[in-house]
Amino acid sequence: MTGIDQIPFVDLISPHRELRAELVQVFNTALDNAGFIGGPMVATFEHDFAAFCGTSQCVGVSSGTDALRFALMAAGVGDGDVAVTVSNTFTATAEAISQTGARSVFVDIDAGTHNMDPRKLEEYIESHCRVDRDAGYLVDRRLGRRVAAIVPVHLYGQPADMNSILEIAERYNIPVIEDACQAHGAEYYSKDSGSWKKAGSMGRAGAFSFYPGKNLGACGEGGAVTTNDNKLAEKIRMLRDHGQAQKYHHDMAGYNGRLDAIQAGILKVKLGHLSNWGAQRRHCAKRYRELLKSTAGVVLPMEPPWAKAVYHLYVVRVENRERVQQYLADAGIGTGIHYPIPLHLQKAYRSLGYKRGDFPVCEAAALEILSLPMYPGLGHEQQRRVASELGAAVSLGRTSAMAMAVGAGSY
Ligand SMILES: Cc1ncc(COP(=O)(O)O)c(C=O)c1O
């Protein structure tokens, strides 16, 4: 538990303190067996994480970025292709696409969920693509490239609207690779099966990051691909290990992208707590909602009835965001911005040819989003203080804006 005066944005110390003995045991086992790469710790974690996600397969890899890259490559995405994703995401989503040789095409987000807007996906396909009947695939008319994948991101631990996205993808026979890097354990109500499905189990594959700050975080780097497609999993196993299924028989040029055994052992220990941590995050989100529901000037995250978000981040929207953030920092409250510059406006993606105004919902959100402290163990008193300081910060901004307007009117 952290104190009430200083409330960090995230607390990575407490869970490791609580699990210290079990985590140290993982190191000891690896040292005793010199089992650092592959072996039973990786296989056991993969088995358990697949079971947690409700998939038949899980392949541990070295990061979420590699998980995305390998999933895309195994699904056949490569040179000269297009993959459709969103601009409101961490840069790794687009990095992984470009690392396959493909090009990112962005579509705008939904103002409520901040995730891919299926209507914008459909609009892109219907207005900017054509079906090449001879080749049997969809082509982006302007770019002359095959549309080879759709990559929805379950950002902030909030599932994207998968029913609609999967329905569009199926219509055009395009594989869906879920970027579930922030959404371990998030659930979505699948109309198809009439049941709740975990993030990472709905598309052709799901990509997870185990970066330390994630809901399931390693003590270092790590990632995983989940899938129900055995062939895809086999290919990813080869891609992560220099293109070999059998030692020194390299059937393709692969990568060194394995999950460390020690990290797998640590992740297995933490996986036992993930459902509880997810429930705590949801409880904290409910408390924030109660505390902030009447605060004018704060837009709260919306959770559609088809979603059970796991609140990797609790993202509100406020005007004068920088001022509000500074006010909270002065009050000892840590916050974050995820993400301040949409990818289509980043220097790294200038060559894609986008400009300001191309994705108005995403651009408007980028100016207002503010991530509040959120982690299992965040206390009621701490949340009460965050809510009260946030209310004060926002009303100060509103009062000074009104004073400026009145002042301007009097001259
Ligand atoms: C949405 C998203 N995609 C991809 C990644 C990449 O994961 P990693 O940092 O493990 O490579 C992250 C991690 O920050 C992420 O948040």
Side-chain angles (χ1 to χ4, degrees), residues 63-66 68 89-90 92-93 153 155 179 181-182 209-211 214 221-222 339:
S63 67
T65 311
D66 270 356
L68 279 167
T89 180
F90 182 57
T93 315
V153 184
L155 204 68
D179 182 337
C181 285
Q182 298 190 2
S209 165
F210 302 130
Y211 186 76
K214 296 292 196 266
E221 303 278 359
Y339 295 93

Side-chain angles (χ1 to χ4, degrees), residues 50-104:
F52 175 84
C53 293
T55 57
S56 62
Q57 299 282 338
C58 164
V59 186
V61 296
S62 52
S63 67
T65 311
D66 270 356
L68 279 167
R69 172 168 59 157
F70 297 159
L72 287 163
M73 291 178 82
V77 180
D79 256 347
D81 287 335
V82 148
V84 190
T85 190
V86 287
S87 182
N88 180 38
T89 180
F90 182 57
T91 187
T93 315
E95 267 171 2
I97 291 169
S98 56
Q99 284 167 8
T100 69
R103 177 182 171 123
S104 291

